[in-house]
């Protein structure tokens, strides 16, 4: 902790309290997962460039590389050499990009759900409705929306005074643990974080839910079991990602009493 009259210039990320042996094992596991994530998404991007209809997955794979790289390299460094200090400006920057890429992921997931809806419910019109220009506009809109979403919460949090303890009970600079360290009035910042989270999550979730409701309705009307299986198999991977991503984010940011940064919150954040 720092003197109560001194402004905090850096924070200490507490991360996970592990023994040296477990830190080494965790480093190896997370490094393997991170490298597999990078390699897998790079392969997807390379393959997507060969087929125009796969450009939306290409955007999603590039986003996954960026989103994962915001937090995991820092976590690997903490596991490897135990240096947990992060400057105030680096902390705010990490928080902004985490929510920039996270919000973009929500919008892209909703876009991909809409894409699946068109492909299954309007297969004959799909090449016209989802041509290259339409894909580019939807992807561009997702990136711009994600870029603008964190501005207000980040601006409010960056202006708060931090002059007490500088220990962040997390493995990255998240809004909840950071707000708990501020010695000023955090009501406006808390409200802005909550409202932005609810708007982004609910708007994309409702679009995704509507798309899948119409998809399931259409699949149920397909006469052959083979046709139903083929139609639904195109959605299973996307639906799995949607379930994991929405479930963990709602638990972290939208549920009552969120932002407490317990050990359970840290584990959920990993997913």
């Amino acid at each position: 902790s720092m003197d109560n009259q001194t402004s905090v210039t850096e924070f200490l990320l507490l991360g996970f309290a592990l023994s040296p042996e477990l830190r080494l094992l965790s480093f190896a596991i997370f490094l393997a997962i991170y490298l597999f994530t990078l390699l897998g998404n790079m392969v997807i991007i390379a393959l997507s460039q060969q087929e125009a209809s796969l450009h939306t997955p290409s955007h999603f794979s590039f986003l996954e590389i960026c989103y994962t790289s915001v937090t995991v390299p820092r976590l690997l460094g903490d596991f490897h050499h135990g240096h947990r200090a992060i400057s105030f400006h680096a902390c705010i920057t990490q928080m902004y990009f985490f929510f920039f890429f996270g919000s973009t992921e929500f919008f892209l997931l909703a876009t991909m759900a809409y894409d699946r809806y068109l492909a299954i419910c309007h297969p004959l019109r799909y090449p016209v409705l989802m041509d290259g220009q339409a894909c580019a506009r939807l992807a561009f809109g997702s990136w711009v929306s994600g870029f603008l979403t964190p501005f207000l919460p980040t601006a409010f949090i960056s202006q708060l005074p931090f002059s007490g303890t500088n220990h962040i009970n997390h493995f990255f600079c998240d809004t909840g643990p950071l707000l708990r360290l501020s010695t000023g009035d955090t009501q406006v910042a808390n409200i802005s974080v909550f409202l932005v989270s609810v708007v982004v999550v609910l708007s994309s979730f409702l679009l995704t839910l509507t798309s899948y409701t119409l998809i399931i309705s259409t699949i149920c009307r397909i006469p052959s079991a083979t046709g139903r299986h083929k139609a639904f198999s195109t959605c299973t991977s996307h639906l799995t990602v949607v379930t994991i991503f929405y479930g963990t984010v709602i638990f972290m940011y939208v549920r009552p009493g969120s932002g407490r940064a317990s050990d359970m919150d840290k584990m959920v954040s990993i997913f």
Side-chain angles (χ1 to χ4, degrees):
S1 63
M2 303 183 70
D3 186 84
N4 289 335
Q5 303 302 317
T6 304
S7 295
V8 171
T9 58
E10 69 175 19
F11 296 102
L12 295 179
L13 297 169
L14 298 184
F16 298 95
L18 302 174
S19 65
E21 294 79 11
L22 286 179
R23 281 208 311 269
L24 182 60
L25 177 62
S26 299
F27 173 81
I29 292 174
F30 276 92
L31 179 61
I33 294 174
Y34 181 58
L35 293 177
F36 183 78
T37 300
L38 294 181
L39 178 61
N41 282 295
M42 287 178 181
V43 171
I44 292 174
I45 291 173
L47 294 176
S48 298
Q49 299 308 308
Q50 309 301 319
E51 175 58 52
S53 63
L54 297 178
H55 282 177
T56 299
S58 177
H59 279 275
F60 191 75
S61 293
F62 177 71
L63 171 64
E64 283 293 294
I65 292 174
C66 296
Y67 188 45
T68 308
S69 298
V70 170
T71 55
V72 176
R74 174 79 207 190
L75 179 60
L76 289 173
D78 291 343
F79 281 143
H80 185 256
H81 51 67
H83 180 68
R84 302 175 183 270
I86 182 171
S87 70
F88 176 84
H89 295 295
C91 186
I92 296 296
T93 301
Q94 184 189 52
M95 182 185 68
Y96 171 81
F97 279 100
F98 178 78
F99 283 96
F100 164 30
F101 295 131
S103 300
T104 304
E105 183 152 353
F106 275 114
F107 297 129
L108 275 181
L109 285 173
T111 298
M112 294 173 75
Y114 176 66
D115 175 81
R116 292 299 83 204
Y117 156 72
L118 291 180
I120 294 174
C121 299
H122 303 281
L124 298 180
R125 300 175 59 198
Y126 177 79
V128 177
L129 296 175
M130 191 59 72
D131 58 6
Q133 289 187 348
C135 285
R137 286 195 296 268
L138 289 171
F140 179 76
S142 298
W143 282 99
V144 171
S145 300
F147 178 77
L148 296 176
T149 295
F151 264 109
L152 277 181
T154 303
F156 286 131
I157 293 175
S158 64
Q159 298 302 313
L160 290 173
F162 294 91
S163 55
T165 179
N166 66 340
H167 292 178
I168 296 179
N169 187 24
H170 217 313
F171 61 87
F172 70 97
C173 291
D174 201 1
T175 53
L178 198 57
L179 284 170
R180 290 172 62 86
L181 296 184
S182 174
T183 53
D185 185 2
T186 61
Q187 183 176 5
V188 174
N190 272 309
I191 292 175
S192 68
V193 170
F194 180 77
L195 288 180
V196 167
S197 301
V198 169
V199 169
V200 171
V201 173
L202 289 185
S203 62
S204 58
F205 178 74
L206 288 176
L207 179 57
T208 303
L209 180 63
T210 301
S211 297
Y212 271 103
T213 299
L214 296 173
I215 288 172
I216 293 173
S217 176
T218 300
I219 290 176
C220 290
R221 293 197 298 269
I222 297 176
S224 68
T226 303
R228 289 194 298 269
H229 176 75
K230 182 179 179 180
F232 191 74
S233 65
T234 64
C235 304
T236 51
S237 60
H238 176 261
L239 191 58
T240 301
V241 173
V242 166
T243 302
I244 295 174
F245 195 63
Y246 278 90
T248 53
V249 170
I250 289 173
F251 179 87
M252 289 298 303
Y253 302 105
V254 182
R255 84 186 196 278
S258 59
R260 292 173 296 178
S262 64
D263 289 338
M264 177 63 72
D265 292 324
K266 298 177 193 177
M267 293 300 299
V268 172
S269 294
I270 292 175
F271 286 94

